[in-house]
Amino acid sequence: DRPYLTFLCIVPRLASGLVITSTGSTSIEMASGQTVKLDCQFTLAAEDSGPLDIEWSLTTSDNQEKVVIIYSGDRPYEDYYAPLKGRVHFNSADPKNGDASINVIGLKPSDSGPYNCKVKKAPGIGSRKMTLTVMVKPSKPRCYTDGPTQEGKDVALKCVSSEGTNPMKYSWEKTSDSKLLPSSATLDPVGGTLIVKNASASASGSYHCTASNRIGSDDCTLYLNVTPPPNTAGIIAGSIIAVLLFLIILAIILYCCCRARHKKKYEKEICNEIREDVPPPKSRVSTARSFTVGSQRSSLGSMSPSNLHEYALKPQYDKIPSSEEYERPPSQLPLPPPSAVRMGGPNLSRMGGIAVMTPAQNRDGSIV
């Protein structure tokens, strides 16, 4: 038997119809605020004779497919997706030339997600998927110390950036003196915390923190001053002295207030006693009459018993005037006889009497 040789001839099948020719990366990372081009190049075959339709869609975070922009009937339609309205355009003014790429300007984190480019020209159909991740550069971090910065304590240095796409990384370095971190320092690169355990004065100095991610970085500077522990005994003594001084001042104020209050009360009582003891003033007429009667009584008392019979002859002086006579006007009072008024000094002496001067009065009873 003669052996038979079998030859297998494989003829490659040439591709025909619409083909997407873009070969770039399908995973794109861009910074917020920048502009990105999503590439989608294609070629047509001779048999692709139908109308050209291009559609770009985005799968949102809730797994819904939203049409972003389309090209149909020889014209673009760009206002399909509100969050990207005015920020998405075709890269070519005439996509029929084989360029279905789009440009997205002013990127935002919400623009992230899978994008799908579909090109259809019957009977040819082609598509390309790519994923866009919009990253946010770290904002300027804030450097600060958390807790006491005393010798012998654990000092915590914090570095926090409020914005930035994870993963972010923090790093610390000392920029003064030996420019080496203390040997007891431990770093948390994710949280941005640098802890210096059992800090000493040598840990004082300037520290520099950098926050970074895949698209950018920013930094801040902090000066650490490790101070000696406070004098607790001195603080306690000072506090006690301050309290005592306060109590002394308060006692003085209370004493002065009580003293002033008692003094005011005493003066008020004295004024009331004066008003109660002093009788109301007498009228000028009553005073004059009292003075005349008193003078007459004095005259009577100065006379000797041997002369009383002569004075008894005078009826107008033999009794004390009654209350009605006091109330009688001076013009109605009885006048003494002329002999009694005009008694001479020698005669009065022989009678054993004493001369007494009586004030003169007007008709209304006033003393002259």
Side-chain angles (χ1 to χ4, degrees):
D1 293 334
R2 297 177 63 181
Y4 291 92
L5 296 178
T6 304
F7 294 93
L8 180 62
C9 182
I10 300 175
V11 178
R13 185 179 177 181
L14 297 177
S16 62
L18 189 150
V19 178
I20 302 296
T21 59
S22 296
T23 59
S25 175
T26 58
S27 181
I28 303 173
E29 292 181 351
M30 299 294 295
S32 177
Q34 293 182 341
T35 299
V36 64
K37 177 184 176 182
L38 302 181
D39 193 53
C40 186
Q41 306 288 334
F42 66 93
T43 58
L44 298 173
E47 61 269 23
D48 298 329
S49 57
L52 177 64
D53 292 324
I54 301 173
E55 178 185 286
W56 279 88
S57 61
L58 167 66
T59 303
T60 60
S61 58
D62 55 357
N63 203 27
Q64 294 185 1
E65 190 172 4
K66 300 290 184 180
V67 177
V68 174
I69 186 173
I70 66 173
Y71 180 88
S72 180
D74 297 333
R75 59 167 296 185
Y77 297 89
E78 302 176 346
D79 299 333
Y80 271 86
Y81 186 51
L84 284 173
K85 184 178 180 180
R87 297 193 294 121
V88 59
H89 311 281
F90 279 103
N91 184 61
S92 174
D94 189 4
K96 291 186 297 182
N97 296 329
D99 186 6
S101 304
I102 60 173
N103 294 321
V104 183
I105 63 176
L107 287 174
K108 299 179 181 179
S110 59
D111 299 336
S112 300
Y115 287 78
N116 189 21
C117 172
K118 296 180 182 178
V119 181
K120 178 181 178 182
K121 189 173 177 64
I125 298 176
S127 64
R128 183 172 191 254
K129 289 185 178 181
M130 60 195 72
T131 301
L132 172 65
T133 303
V134 179
M135 304 184 68
V136 178
K137 174 187 173 183
S139 61
K140 187 172 183 62
R142 184 171 69 95
C143 293
Y144 62 97
T145 57
D146 186 16
T149 57
Q150 301 170 3
E151 292 183 1
K153 301 287 185 179
D154 292 346
V155 179
L157 280 64
K158 296 281 189 175
C159 182
V160 178
S161 181
S162 59
E163 295 181 358
T165 302
N166 291 323
M168 284 201 302
K169 181 180 178 181
Y170 294 91
S171 62
W172 281 92
E173 62 178 345
K174 191 175 182 182
T175 58
S176 62
D177 301 332
S178 62
K179 297 185 179 181
L180 295 175
L181 292 176
S183 58
S184 61
T186 57
L187 173 64
D188 178 10
V190 178
T193 303
L194 177 68
I195 298 179
V196 181
K197 296 182 178 181
N198 194 20
S200 61
S202 61
S204 300
S206 298
Y207 289 80
H208 184 80
C209 173
T210 302
S212 61
N213 60 11
R214 290 196 298 268
I215 62 170
S217 64
D218 211 331
D219 53 34
C220 62
T221 302
L222 168 69
Y223 183 81
L224 174 63
N225 182 25
V226 180
T227 59
N231 186 0
T232 307
I235 294 176
I236 295 175
S239 301
I240 294 175
I241 293 174
V243 172
L244 291 177
L245 289 176
F246 174 76
L247 293 177
I248 292 173
I249 294 173
L250 182 62
I252 293 174
I253 294 174
L254 292 176
Y255 173 76
C256 294
C257 293
C258 293
R259 182 181 178 89
R261 184 177 180 182
H262 292 164
K263 183 177 180 181
K264 186 176 181 181
K265 183 177 180 181
Y266 175 76
E267 292 178 351
K268 185 176 181 180
E269 291 177 354
I270 292 298
C271 293
N272 293 337
E273 291 177 1
I274 294 175
R275 293 190 185 99
E276 293 175 359
D277 296 344
V278 177
K282 297 180 180 181
S283 63
R284 299 182 64 182
V285 176
S286 300
T287 304
R289 291 176 183 174
S290 300
F291 184 83
T292 305
V293 173
S295 300
Q296 293 175 356
R297 290 177 181 176
S298 300
S299 301
L300 289 175
S302 61
M303 291 183 180
S304 61
S306 59
N307 296 331
L308 288 177
H309 68 278
E310 296 180 4
Y311 192 81
L313 296 177
K314 304 173 183 55
Q316 63 273 22
Y317 295 109
D318 60 351
K319 62 180 180 179
I320 298 175
S322 63
S323 60
E324 294 180 356
E325 291 176 348
Y326 279 128
E327 300 297 332
R328 189 180 304 171
S331 60
Q332 298 181 5
L333 292 175
L335 298 176
S339 59
V341 176
R342 297 176 182 178
M343 183 178 294
N347 296 330
L348 184 60
S349 299
R350 287 194 299 270
M351 294 174 61
I354 300 174
V356 177
M357 297 183 64
T358 303
Q361 297 180 358
N362 294 333
R363 290 182 178 272
D364 57 357
S366 301
I367 299 176
V368 179

PDB file of all heavy atoms in Angstrom, residues 250-265:
ATOM      1  N   LEU A 250     -14.307  90.518  99.003  1.00  0.00           N
ATOM      2  CA  LEU A 250     -15.759  90.382  99.161  1.00  0.00           C
ATOM      3  C   LEU A 250     -16.194  90.738 100.569  1.00  0.00           C
ATOM      4  O   LEU A 250     -17.223  91.411 100.781  1.00  0.00           O
ATOM      5  CB  LEU A 250     -16.161  88.946  98.809  1.00  0.00           C
ATOM      6  CG  LEU A 250     -17.655  88.619  98.876  1.00  0.00           C
ATOM      7  CD1 LEU A 250     -18.416  89.475  97.877  1.00  0.00           C
ATOM      8  CD2 LEU A 250     -17.889  87.140  98.610  1.00  0.00           C
ATOM      9  N   ALA A 251     -15.403  90.308 101.587  1.00  0.00           N
ATOM     10  CA  ALA A 251     -15.737  90.628 102.971  1.00  0.00           C
ATOM     11  C   ALA A 251     -15.683  92.142 103.220  1.00  0.00           C
ATOM     12  O   ALA A 251     -16.548  92.706 103.909  1.00  0.00           O
ATOM     13  CB  ALA A 251     -14.794  89.894 103.917  1.00  0.00           C
ATOM     14  N   ILE A 252     -14.667  92.811 102.659  1.00  0.00           N
ATOM     15  CA  ILE A 252     -14.557  94.275 102.825  1.00  0.00           C
ATOM     16  C   ILE A 252     -15.762  94.976 102.197  1.00  0.00           C
ATOM     17  O   ILE A 252     -16.339  95.908 102.779  1.00  0.00           O
ATOM     18  CB  ILE A 252     -13.234  94.768 102.202  1.00  0.00           C
ATOM     19  CG1 ILE A 252     -12.041  94.225 103.006  1.00  0.00           C
ATOM     20  CG2 ILE A 252     -13.196  96.290 102.149  1.00  0.00           C
ATOM     21  CD1 ILE A 252     -10.688  94.531 102.390  1.00  0.00           C
ATOM     22  N   ILE A 253     -16.143  94.528 101.023  1.00  0.00           N
ATOM     23  CA  ILE A 253     -17.292  95.165 100.356  1.00  0.00           C
ATOM     24  C   ILE A 253     -18.562  94.985 101.178  1.00  0.00           C
ATOM     25  O   ILE A 253     -19.344  95.920 101.387  1.00  0.00           O
ATOM     26  CB  ILE A 253     -17.458  94.580  98.941  1.00  0.00           C
ATOM     27  CG1 ILE A 253     -16.255  94.974  98.068  1.00  0.00           C
ATOM     28  CG2 ILE A 253     -18.746  95.065  98.303  1.00  0.00           C
ATOM     29  CD1 ILE A 253     -16.268  94.327  96.700  1.00  0.00           C
ATOM     30  N   LEU A 254     -18.773  93.770 101.712  1.00  0.00           N
ATOM     31  CA  LEU A 254     -19.965  93.510 102.525  1.00  0.00           C
ATOM     32  C   LEU A 254     -19.946  94.347 103.805  1.00  0.00           C
ATOM     33  O   LEU A 254     -20.981  94.887 104.220  1.00  0.00           O
ATOM     34  CB  LEU A 254     -20.055  92.027 102.857  1.00  0.00           C
ATOM     35  CG  LEU A 254     -20.341  91.081 101.684  1.00  0.00           C
ATOM     36  CD1 LEU A 254     -20.298  89.637 102.146  1.00  0.00           C
ATOM     37  CD2 LEU A 254     -21.688  91.414 101.065  1.00  0.00           C
ATOM     38  N   TYR A 255     -18.776  94.474 104.444  1.00  0.00           N
ATOM     39  CA  TYR A 255     -18.674  95.283 105.664  1.00  0.00           C
ATOM     40  C   TYR A 255     -19.009  96.745 105.392  1.00  0.00           C
ATOM     41  O   TYR A 255     -19.760  97.380 106.145  1.00  0.00           O
ATOM     42  CB  TYR A 255     -17.263  95.151 106.228  1.00  0.00           C
ATOM     43  CG  TYR A 255     -16.995  96.071 107.395  1.00  0.00           C
ATOM     44  CD1 TYR A 255     -17.498  95.792 108.664  1.00  0.00           C
ATOM     45  CD2 TYR A 255     -16.248  97.237 107.222  1.00  0.00           C
ATOM     46  CE1 TYR A 255     -17.261  96.641 109.734  1.00  0.00           C
ATOM     47  CE2 TYR A 255     -16.014  98.100 108.285  1.00  0.00           C
ATOM     48  CZ  TYR A 255     -16.515  97.791 109.546  1.00  0.00           C
ATOM     49  OH  TYR A 255     -16.292  98.639 110.590  1.00  0.00           O
ATOM     50  N   CYS A 256     -18.474  97.285 104.311  1.00  0.00           N
ATOM     51  CA  CYS A 256     -18.757  98.688 103.964  1.00  0.00           C
ATOM     52  C   CYS A 256     -20.238  98.894 103.670  1.00  0.00           C
ATOM     53  O   CYS A 256     -20.836  99.898 104.068  1.00  0.00           O
ATOM     54  CB  CYS A 256     -17.896  99.109 102.766  1.00  0.00           C
ATOM     55  SG  CYS A 256     -16.115  99.152 103.110  1.00  0.00           S
ATOM     56  N   CYS A 257     -20.839  97.953 102.986  1.00  0.00           N
ATOM     57  CA  CYS A 257     -22.276  98.086 102.675  1.00  0.00           C
ATOM     58  C   CYS A 257     -23.119  98.055 103.937  1.00  0.00           C
ATOM     59  O   CYS A 257     -24.043  98.868 104.102  1.00  0.00           O
ATOM     60  CB  CYS A 257     -22.693  96.969 101.717  1.00  0.00           C
ATOM     61  SG  CYS A 257     -21.965  97.099 100.078  1.00  0.00           S
ATOM     62  N   CYS A 258     -22.803  97.122 104.858  1.00  0.00           N
ATOM     63  CA  CYS A 258     -23.568  97.046 106.108  1.00  0.00           C
ATOM     64  C   CYS A 258     -23.375  98.302 106.958  1.00  0.00           C
ATOM     65  O   CYS A 258     -24.327  98.814 107.560  1.00  0.00           O
ATOM     66  CB  CYS A 258     -23.135  95.808 106.895  1.00  0.00           C
ATOM     67  SG  CYS A 258     -23.575  94.252 106.102  1.00  0.00           S
ATOM     68  N   ARG A 259     -22.162  98.809 107.029  1.00  0.00           N
ATOM     69  CA  ARG A 259     -21.877 100.013 107.811  1.00  0.00           C
ATOM     70  C   ARG A 259     -22.646 101.212 107.260  1.00  0.00           C
ATOM     71  O   ARG A 259     -23.254 101.983 108.020  1.00  0.00           O
ATOM     72  CB  ARG A 259     -20.376 100.282 107.806  1.00  0.00           C
ATOM     73  CG  ARG A 259     -19.951 101.485 108.636  1.00  0.00           C
ATOM     74  CD  ARG A 259     -18.448 101.677 108.553  1.00  0.00           C
ATOM     75  NE  ARG A 259     -18.033 102.854 109.303  1.00  0.00           N
ATOM     76  CZ  ARG A 259     -17.709 102.838 110.575  1.00  0.00           C
ATOM     77  NH1 ARG A 259     -17.730 101.689 111.242  1.00  0.00           N
ATOM     78  NH2 ARG A 259     -17.336 103.935 111.202  1.00  0.00           N
ATOM     79  N   ALA A 260     -22.628 101.361 105.939  1.00  0.00           N
ATOM     80  CA  ALA A 260     -23.355 102.485 105.331  1.00  0.00           C
ATOM     81  C   ALA A 260     -24.857 102.352 105.562  1.00  0.00           C
ATOM     82  O   ALA A 260     -25.554 103.337 105.812  1.00  0.00           O
ATOM     83  CB  ALA A 260     -23.044 102.536 103.838  1.00  0.00           C
ATOM     84  N   ARG A 261     -25.366 101.118 105.526  1.00  0.00           N
ATOM     85  CA  ARG A 261     -26.797 100.910 105.740  1.00  0.00           C
ATOM     86  C   ARG A 261     -27.198 101.250 107.162  1.00  0.00           C
ATOM     87  O   ARG A 261     -28.216 101.911 107.399  1.00  0.00           O
ATOM     88  CB  ARG A 261     -27.128  99.462 105.415  1.00  0.00           C
ATOM     89  CG  ARG A 261     -28.613  99.146 105.512  1.00  0.00           C
ATOM     90  CD  ARG A 261     -28.858  97.720 105.107  1.00  0.00           C
ATOM     91  NE  ARG A 261     -30.275  97.397 105.200  1.00  0.00           N
ATOM     92  CZ  ARG A 261     -30.787  96.197 104.937  1.00  0.00           C
ATOM     93  NH1 ARG A 261     -29.967  95.215 104.559  1.00  0.00           N
ATOM     94  NH2 ARG A 261     -32.079  95.978 105.057  1.00  0.00           N
ATOM     95  N   HIS A 262     -26.395 100.810 108.166  1.00  0.00           N
ATOM     96  CA  HIS A 262     -26.701 101.127 109.570  1.00  0.00           C
ATOM     97  C   HIS A 262     -26.610 102.621 109.840  1.00  0.00           C
ATOM     98  O   HIS A 262     -27.422 103.172 110.594  1.00  0.00           O
ATOM     99  CB  HIS A 262     -25.738 100.370 110.475  1.00  0.00           C
ATOM    100  CG  HIS A 262     -25.963  98.885 110.460  1.00  0.00           C
ATOM    101  ND1 HIS A 262     -25.041  97.979 110.934  1.00  0.00           N
ATOM    102  CD2 HIS A 262     -27.019  98.150 110.002  1.00  0.00           C
ATOM    103  CE1 HIS A 262     -25.514  96.760 110.787  1.00  0.00           C
ATOM    104  NE2 HIS A 262     -26.707  96.836 110.205  1.00  0.00           N
ATOM    105  N   LYS A 263     -25.627 103.285 109.249  1.00  0.00           N
ATOM    106  CA  LYS A 263     -25.469 104.729 109.443  1.00  0.00           C
ATOM    107  C   LYS A 263     -26.677 105.484 108.901  1.00  0.00           C
ATOM    108  O   LYS A 263     -27.197 106.411 109.534  1.00  0.00           O
ATOM    109  CB  LYS A 263     -24.191 105.197 108.758  1.00  0.00           C
ATOM    110  CG  LYS A 263     -23.898 106.674 108.960  1.00  0.00           C
ATOM    111  CD  LYS A 263     -22.572 107.043 108.314  1.00  0.00           C
ATOM    112  CE  LYS A 263     -22.281 108.531 108.523  1.00  0.00           C
ATOM    113  NZ  LYS A 263     -21.000 108.918 107.876  1.00  0.00           N
ATOM    114  N   LYS A 264     -27.143 105.070 107.747  1.00  0.00           N
ATOM    115  CA  LYS A 264     -28.307 105.720 107.144  1.00  0.00           C
ATOM    116  C   LYS A 264     -29.545 105.508 108.003  1.00  0.00           C
ATOM    117  O   LYS A 264     -30.356 106.420 108.208  1.00  0.00           O
ATOM    118  CB  LYS A 264     -28.517 105.169 105.737  1.00  0.00           C
ATOM    119  CG  LYS A 264     -29.612 105.874 104.970  1.00  0.00           C
ATOM    120  CD  LYS A 264     -29.680 105.338 103.553  1.00  0.00           C
ATOM    121  CE  LYS A 264     -30.775 106.072 102.769  1.00  0.00           C
ATOM    122  NZ  LYS A 264     -30.864 105.546 101.375  1.00  0.00           N
ATOM    123  N   LYS A 265     -29.695 104.288 108.561  1.00  0.00           N
ATOM    124  CA  LYS A 265     -30.836 103.987 109.413  1.00  0.00           C
ATOM    125  C   LYS A 265     -30.787 104.811 110.689  1.00  0.00           C
ATOM    126  O   LYS A 265     -31.807 105.330 111.166  1.00  0.00           O
ATOM    127  CB  LYS A 265     -30.838 102.494 109.726  1.00  0.00           C
ATOM    128  CG  LYS A 265     -32.026 102.047 110.542  1.00  0.00           C
ATOM    129  CD  LYS A 265     -31.984 100.537 110.750  1.00  0.00           C
ATOM    130  CE  LYS A 265     -33.181 100.078 111.580  1.00  0.00           C
ATOM    131  NZ  LYS A 265     -33.143  98.616 111.817  1.00  0.00           N
TER     132      LYS A 265
END
